Amino acid sequence: MSDEKNYRTDDPTDHLSDYEPVDYTDPVRQRLAEEPVEAIACQPCMSVSPTTTVREAIETLNESEVSSLLVVQDDRLLGIFTERDVLEKVVERYERVAHHPVEQFMTTDPTIVYSSDPSAAAVAAIAVAGHRHVPVLDLNDKVHGITSPRRVFEFLDAVAN
Amino acid sequence: MSFRKELADEKVGSLPLRDAIAVDGHTVVRAAVALMRSHGLGCTVIVDHHCRPAGIFTEQSVIRMLVQGVCLDTTPVSQFCDPHFFVLRTDDPIEKAWEAVTRSGARFLCVTDKSGELIGLTGQRGLSEYLCDTYSQQVTVQRLGSAPWMLQREGA
């Protein structure tokens, strides 16, 4: 018996035989459902080590004109240090904590998406979970980049016209 | 209806709006920061005496201010306005908000009524929520968290 028999679409035991792919009329809907997160721009992405001082991290945010820094060690994501962390934990006592390591003030265990997730997962992380900066990891849990509302909008804008 | 057509037809007033923190330009940075923290918001809107938006002080302004080493207790917010300052009216098309965010990198958009008085804020978050509502079938079924999808599923 040939292995091919198992894949015949007219096989009455094949429960997927009547499966029909979704016929999308809206390209934005199709992009959200079928294209992976890695199709969204995830670079540039700034990262720092956990021992970087708060002062250095803030100078990097300012010079690079970015809103967040991934805190990374050996390609593994330890946390994220964002403008919101500066507002919540740093600004009112900046002179006292400027020389402390950024790992003391970063957000640990941030919501992430995987590069192979549907791009709609990035929208969910931003709109439902309320995170503006969403680290993107590959399936080996290594840092792939970061996505943001602007990058997602630009990704959808390309097919919206 | 295409997404672009929806953006052109629907009005900014139908976007999710957040209450804005309105301050005058003389407010010192420390007071503005305290308000932003207590409201969990990333900006304060500087308004004139008719409550019309005149500038915006954001988390990005805070970063610039820290780098320059200025005093939080004496520096007014008007000295560190964010250059990304956009004002939209409730009857403007959502397309205008979309353009401001995608082309100019605006994060916050001040929303006014027809008389120009500030009534709220929208921006990247509001548009993300609008996307989520428009494409809820695709977006709301997604995994959220920091564990891979296959570790969260039962069986299979």
Side-chain angles (χ1 to χ4, degrees):
Chain A
M1 185 168 62
S2 157
D3 282 349
E4 283 174 18
K5 186 174 181 243
N6 295 330
Y7 300 101
R8 279 176 52 195
T9 54
D10 58 348
D11 184 342
T13 61
D14 180 0
H15 300 293
L16 293 178
S17 59
D18 59 352
Y19 171 75
E20 285 182 22
V22 182
D23 188 13
Y24 292 100
T25 53
D26 180 347
V28 173
R29 193 177 297 279
Q30 180 167 12
R31 213 158 208 209
L32 284 169
E34 296 192 343
E35 292 199 34
V37 166
E38 66 187 344
I40 304 171
C42 296
Q43 298 287 340
C45 158
M46 300 297 295
S47 60
V48 292
S49 76
T51 54
T52 304
T53 66
V54 168
R55 187 187 302 278
E56 289 166 341
I58 287 175
E59 283 168 357
T60 306
L61 285 171
N62 185 55
E63 285 160 15
S64 313
E65 295 183 343
V66 294
S67 304
S68 64
L69 301 170
L70 298 184
V71 183
V72 174
Q73 193 165 42
D74 301 328
D75 284 340
R76 304 284 165 182
L77 181 70
L78 299 183
I80 185 168
F81 184 68
T82 70
E83 288 173 344
R84 185 55 60 98
D85 292 315
V86 176
L87 182 73
E88 292 290 337
K89 307 168 196 170
V90 172
V91 63
E92 287 174 314
R93 50 189 180 137
Y94 180 60
E95 287 308 322
R96 272 180 287 147
V97 302
H99 62 284
H100 288 211
V102 76
E103 65 180 338
Q104 290 180 7
F105 300 93
M106 68 186 183
T107 299
T108 54
D109 199 24
T111 294
I112 58 98
V113 290
Y114 283 89
S115 55
S116 56
D117 283 342
S119 56
V123 179
I126 292 165
V128 182
H131 301 294
R132 198 155 67 91
H133 312 96
V134 186
V136 180
L137 305 186
D138 66 19
L139 284 176
N140 296 314
D141 280 329
K142 289 191 173 177
V143 173
H144 178 76
I146 191 163
T147 193
S148 65
R150 188 179 180 186
R151 288 176 174 178
V152 170
F153 298 162
E154 285 171 347
F155 166 74
L156 298 176
D157 208 37
V159 293
N161 292 309
Chain B
M1 185 162 41
S2 78
F3 184 57
R4 266 285 166 197
K5 177 112 179 49
E6 274 186 45
L7 291 178
D9 289 351
E10 291 197 41
K11 304 298 177 197
V12 166
S14 65
L15 284 175
L17 294 187
R18 300 187 72 186
D19 291 338
I21 307 167
V23 297
D24 70 52
H26 303 295
T27 306
V28 294
V29 168
R30 187 178 295 280
V33 163
L35 283 169
M36 288 157 74
R37 287 186 59 190
S38 65
H39 288 76
L41 201 55
C43 73
T44 61
V45 181
I46 301 166
V47 293
D48 64 14
H49 55 280
H50 294 298
C51 206
R52 287 184 299 231
I56 192 163
F57 178 84
T58 67
E59 289 166 333
Q60 225 158 31
S61 312
V62 170
I63 299 291
R64 276 195 297 128
M65 189 204 73
L66 288 177
V67 169
Q68 292 182 27
V70 301
C71 175
L72 271 62
D73 295 304
T74 56
T75 308
V77 284
S78 55
Q79 273 190 22
F80 283 91
C81 285
D82 194 312
H84 297 113
F85 174 56
F86 293 87
V87 181
L88 301 177
R89 284 176 20 162
T90 49
D91 55 356
D92 281 330
I94 292 178
E95 193 174 33
K96 217 168 162 180
W98 182 266
E99 296 295 327
V101 170
T102 54
R103 308 277 179 256
S104 310
R107 182 178 160 202
F108 297 106
L109 306 168
C110 303
V111 180
T112 68
D113 60 16
K114 287 178 184 173
S115 68
E117 197 172 309
L118 179 69
I119 58 166
L121 281 173
T122 189
Q124 291 185 348
R125 179 131 181 219
L127 287 169
S128 299
E129 288 171 8
Y130 172 77
L131 258 182
C132 184
D133 285 346
T134 308
Y135 296 104
S136 57
Q137 265 186 309
Q138 282 69 41
V139 175
T140 55
V141 297
Q142 298 300 323
R143 168 199 66 85
L144 282 176
S146 55
W149 174 252
M150 56 284 236
L151 297 182
Q152 291 187 342
R153 290 174 65 198
E154 289 182 7

